[in-house]
Structure formats: structure tokens, C-alpha cells
Amino acid sequence: MLIPTPATTICKPVTTNPSTPPRTPALQSRLPKVGTTIFSVMSALASDLGAVNLGQGFPDFDCDPRLIGQVGDAMAEGLNQYPPMAGVPALREAVADKIAALYGRRYDPSARSPSPPAPRRPS
């Protein structure tokens, strides 16, 4: 795993003449020039309106230590990536069971479910 190092340890001061003080070279960003992101826009809007910002996690309370432990365990077991587009089979089955229990309707958890729309074919 590559761990970023602070710029102060990456760039050593450059001196062109021993009688002049050292200067730090300009750093070139490795980030794309994305400008303002939707996250900063929504955060500012929520702040301006006094709304709860559900776009990013800004809780004002501590997380349950049991949850922290369970998340750590899951990550150690390799559950640390985005889920597959079709969903995780165990979760799909649990959702099907919950819907059956709540609404008396059963659906096949292995059936394809709606997800992000497919690209449209050119006409």
C-alpha cells in the first residue's frame, strides 16, 4: 500500500545561491481539475439552509463501538470493495425474505433487479 508522504518530506528546499534563503518549489497537483464538486455544493446549501446534510457523513455523535468492531471484522474478511452491480446474493435473499414477511409478496432474489439504467441504443 502506498502511503502519501507530506509535501515537506517530498520536496526539500532548493537553494540556487548559498547567500540566498532556500525556497520551496511549487508542487504540481496530481488531482484532476474538477472544480467545485457536488459534495461542496450540497454541503454549502445544507449549511446555508440549516438543513441536515445527508450527502456526506457529518455525525455529531460517536459511532457505536460494536459497529466499529463489526466493520473492522468485515474489512479484514475482504468485504472492503463496492458491491457487484447485481448485488450481494445473501443481501438479495434477506431483502426478499423481509418483503415476504412485511408485505406477503415473494420475489426471486436471483432474478435481475432494476439498477442503473442501461445505455440507450442509438435510433
Side-chain angles (χ1 to χ4, degrees), residues 4-12:
T5 310
T8 54
T9 60
I10 294 173
C11 298
K12 295 184 176 154

Side-chain angles (χ1 to χ4, degrees), residues 14 17 19 31 37 50 53-54 59 68 73 78 87 89 96-97 111 116:
V14 174
N17 182 334
S19 64
L31 299 173
T37 67
N53 184 353
L54 299 177
I68 293 171
D73 292 344
D97 292 343

Side-chain angles (χ1 to χ4, degrees), residues 61-75:
F61 53 88
D62 291 336
C63 186
D64 186 323
R66 293 173 297 176
L67 178 59
I68 293 171
Q70 290 172 351
V71 168
D73 292 344
M75 291 179 69

Side-chain angles (χ1 to χ4, degrees), residues 2-123:
L2 180 63
I3 299 174
T5 310
T8 54
T9 60
I10 294 173
C11 298
K12 295 184 176 154
V14 174
T15 304
T16 55
N17 182 334
S19 64
T20 60
R23 60 184 171 80
T24 303
L27 298 177
Q28 185 174 5
S29 174
R30 294 182 186 170
L31 299 173
K33 294 181 180 177
V34 295
T36 303
T37 67
I38 188 64
F39 300 109
S40 57
V41 170
M42 295 307 289
S43 293
L45 187 59
S47 178
D48 291 348
L49 299 175
V52 175
N53 184 353
L54 299 177
Q56 290 178 283
F58 295 113
D60 59 356
F61 53 88
D62 291 336
C63 186
D64 186 323
R66 293 173 297 176
L67 178 59
I68 293 171
Q70 290 172 351
V71 168
D73 292 344
M75 291 179 69
E77 292 172 13
L79 300 173
N80 54 13
Q81 299 295 317
Y82 285 109
M85 287 297 287
V88 177
L91 179 58
R92 291 173 63 117
E93 290 173 21
V95 169
D97 292 343
K98 184 72 172 182
I99 289 172
L102 287 175
Y103 305 109
R105 303 216 175 227
R106 184 83 188 155
Y107 80 96
D108 180 2
S110 66
R112 196 171 175 132
S113 64
S115 57
R120 293 184 180 198
R121 293 183 184 172
S123 309

